[in-house]
Amino acid sequence: MVDSTSERKRVLIVDDEKSIRDSLKLLLKNSFEVSTAQDGEEALSVVEDFKPDLILLDLIMPKLDGIGTLRQLRDREQRVPVIMLTGNATVQSAVQAMKLGAVDYLNKPFDVGALTSMIIGILEVQSSPARTPGYTPLRQADFGVMVGRSPVMQELFQKVEQVAVRDTTVLITGESGTGKELIARRIHELSRRSHKPFVPINCAAIPETLIESELFGHERGSFTSAIDQRIGHFELADGGTIFLDEIGELSLAVQVKMLRFLQEHEFYRVGRSKPIKVDVRVITATNKHLEDLTREKKFRQDLYYRINVINLEIPPLRDRFEDIPLLVEHFLSKYGSIYGNRNLTFSQDAMNMLVEYAWPGNVRLSL
């Protein structure tokens, strides 16, 4: 492979610390054409001649800091992707940088492998034939009804796309209000089963005495109040997907029947001696730590291994604060018509308060 300078991507390093500029240049020069600048003002002049494909931009610098430099780049319609580098990251500065178009940020001291992988990944997207003018993230902020452009959510969306095309059992974990059912629905929508039913059931909302009948159905006369035959949720989901939320609430007796279904793909209606076979994909979710429940003998270990073939963990809102401005815009757009089509906006101070809040209820209960 010919390593022609004209074919190599160009990276501009902007940092007021010479040692960092030199070390980064040494690290990257074998793979990229590299130039450096010691502050924002110098960087703006270098950009015109060097025309970088990516900029590594320090946040705290004399003369013109990273935020000011990024703002001027955008004012000049320079859409080159920017990674912010900082030893003093704050919530406000990180969010402000992302709003101005920074594609990501790393705290000093940063991991060399992580930085290199990030650069390569961004440049690959930038050079993709499907790329539109300006930097486009790996995925849009809207992923179905989910909203998120933060790295953790982009990684989650990528995993969902990978998982959806397979037919394996999925366990979705996360705090209440993080969107576990939304992720389950998205997996179904992207799967080969999308034209078949998606049947959600909250295991915590059904009395223990009725849960077996709800899941598997019952025959007429199988117990006192069974005046008619009932089709259970597993039969209703035949060909499609069943989503069992709060699976940690199932009794041990029902867990045994769940385990049999996952092993044999068949079940018995209550009061029926002949098994029923169905083709159903099972997705489960919980906000509890099932490992702890297995140690306490409240959840079967063999069932845990069966449902935990693939685990998708949804981060709480406080761990993806970069998405809060996007969520604000989403809900303003969604509900604006209900409140007289008013064009509501938030001041920077108000937005900072929203970003810094812990959001104990996450999205569903908080917004």
Side-chain angles (χ1 to χ4, degrees):
M1 181 177 179
V2 179
D3 186 16
S4 170
T5 301
S6 62
E7 296 174 350
R8 300 169 78 195
K9 296 293 185 180
R10 298 176 178 181
V11 176
L12 174 60
I13 302 165
V14 187
D15 199 298
D16 61 325
E17 297 183 48
K18 186 177 185 300
S19 59
I20 291 180
R21 294 198 306 272
D22 291 346
S23 61
L24 282 175
K25 185 173 184 178
L26 183 64
L27 168 69
L28 300 174
K29 69 177 184 178
N30 289 332
S31 302
F32 309 101
E33 185 177 351
V34 180
S35 185
T36 63
Q38 63 183 354
D39 56 53
E41 290 185 357
E42 184 180 356
L44 292 172
S45 62
V46 171
V47 163
E48 298 299 327
D49 296 326
F50 184 61
K51 294 181 171 51
D53 296 291
L54 182 139
I55 298 175
L56 301 177
L57 181 60
D58 189 23
L59 182 66
I60 308 297
M61 296 183 295
K63 295 185 180 179
L64 186 63
D65 65 9
I67 295 296
T69 304
L70 183 56
R71 183 178 286 110
Q72 288 203 30
L73 286 170
R74 298 314 181 223
D75 289 344
R76 298 180 185 189
E77 297 189 353
Q78 290 281 355
R79 300 300 176 187
V80 56
V82 173
I83 299 174
M84 303 298 294
L85 303 176
T86 175
N88 300 283
T90 64
V91 169
Q92 296 96 326
S93 61
V95 169
Q96 192 175 5
M98 301 294 277
K99 287 179 68 178
L100 287 170
V103 299
D104 217 325
Y105 66 93
L106 282 177
N107 293 333
K108 300 176 186 176
F110 41 79
D111 181 83
V112 170
L115 176 60
T116 305
S117 298
M118 185 182 294
I119 292 172
I120 292 172
I122 291 170
L123 290 177
E124 284 178 351
V125 171
Q126 187 191 28
S127 59
S128 170
R131 179 177 176 267
T132 55
Y135 175 76
T136 303
L138 293 178
R139 277 159 196 82
Q140 297 298 320
D142 293 346
F143 187 68
V145 294
M146 297 289 285
V147 176
R149 194 175 283 145
S150 59
V152 289
M153 291 303 286
Q154 290 288 304
E155 182 179 355
L156 175 63
F157 296 161
Q158 183 179 31
K159 288 179 180 177
V160 167
E161 291 178 343
Q162 294 171 343
V163 166
V165 297
R166 298 170 175 84
D167 226 15
T168 48
T169 306
V170 179
L171 173 64
I172 305 172
T173 54
E175 297 177 3
S176 179
T178 51
K180 295 186 288 296
E181 183 172 339
L182 296 179
I183 288 295
R185 287 184 181 276
R186 192 60 175 157
I187 292 172
H188 176 73
E189 290 167 0
L190 296 173
S191 75
R192 65 176 180 84
R193 300 174 179 270
S194 59
H195 62 293
K196 294 291 186 177
F198 174 85
V199 179
I201 182 169
N202 188 327
C203 300
I206 302 173
E208 184 177 339
T209 53
L210 297 178
I211 187 68
E212 184 178 353
S213 174
E214 289 290 324
L215 290 175
F216 305 117
H218 63 250
E219 295 295 322
R220 181 180 178 180
S222 56
F223 50 88
T224 304
S225 59
I227 58 177
D228 289 304
Q229 184 190 72
R230 179 184 178 86
I231 302 298
H233 285 73
F234 274 87
E235 279 184 87
L236 294 173
D238 191 16
T241 303
I242 190 167
F243 172 58
L244 302 176
D245 197 6
E246 303 304 343
I247 193 170
E249 300 295 331
L250 290 180
S251 68
L252 289 172
V254 177
Q255 288 178 36
V256 172
K257 297 180 185 295
M258 272 292 303
L259 181 63
R260 174 179 171 79
F261 175 80
L262 291 171
Q263 291 172 336
E264 308 295 337
H265 300 286
E266 64 180 29
F267 61 91
Y268 292 86
R269 286 199 201 119
V270 177
R272 179 185 171 107
S273 59
K274 186 178 180 180
I276 298 171
K277 271 193 173 291
V278 291
D279 174 25
V280 174
R281 181 181 191 174
V282 177
I283 300 177
T284 62
T286 183
N287 60 12
K288 294 186 175 181
H289 296 289
L290 293 184
E291 300 95 329
D292 295 339
L293 294 181
T294 59
R295 285 192 290 269
E296 296 167 8
K297 307 299 182 183
K298 295 179 180 178
F299 199 86
R300 293 182 62 97
Q301 188 177 56
D302 46 5
L303 178 58
Y304 172 66
Y305 290 139
R306 283 283 181 175
I307 64 174
N308 194 29
V309 176
I310 296 175
N311 177 222
L312 297 177
E313 183 172 1
I314 308 179
L317 188 54
R318 62 182 174 274
D319 288 348
R320 56 182 186 105
F321 57 81
E322 308 98 309
D323 292 332
I324 291 176
L326 291 171
L327 286 164
V328 170
E329 293 176 10
H330 169 78
F331 285 107
L332 285 176
S333 174
K334 181 176 181 179
Y335 296 112
S337 59
I338 300 176
Y339 299 99
N341 291 315
R342 290 180 296 169
N343 185 22
L344 299 177
T345 58
F346 283 75
S347 67
Q348 188 60 52
D349 287 343
M351 188 63 73
N352 287 343
M353 290 181 67
L354 292 175
V355 167
E356 292 173 350
Y357 183 58
W359 298 106
N362 292 296
V363 182
R364 182 188 62 194
L365 300 179
S366 301
L367 290 174

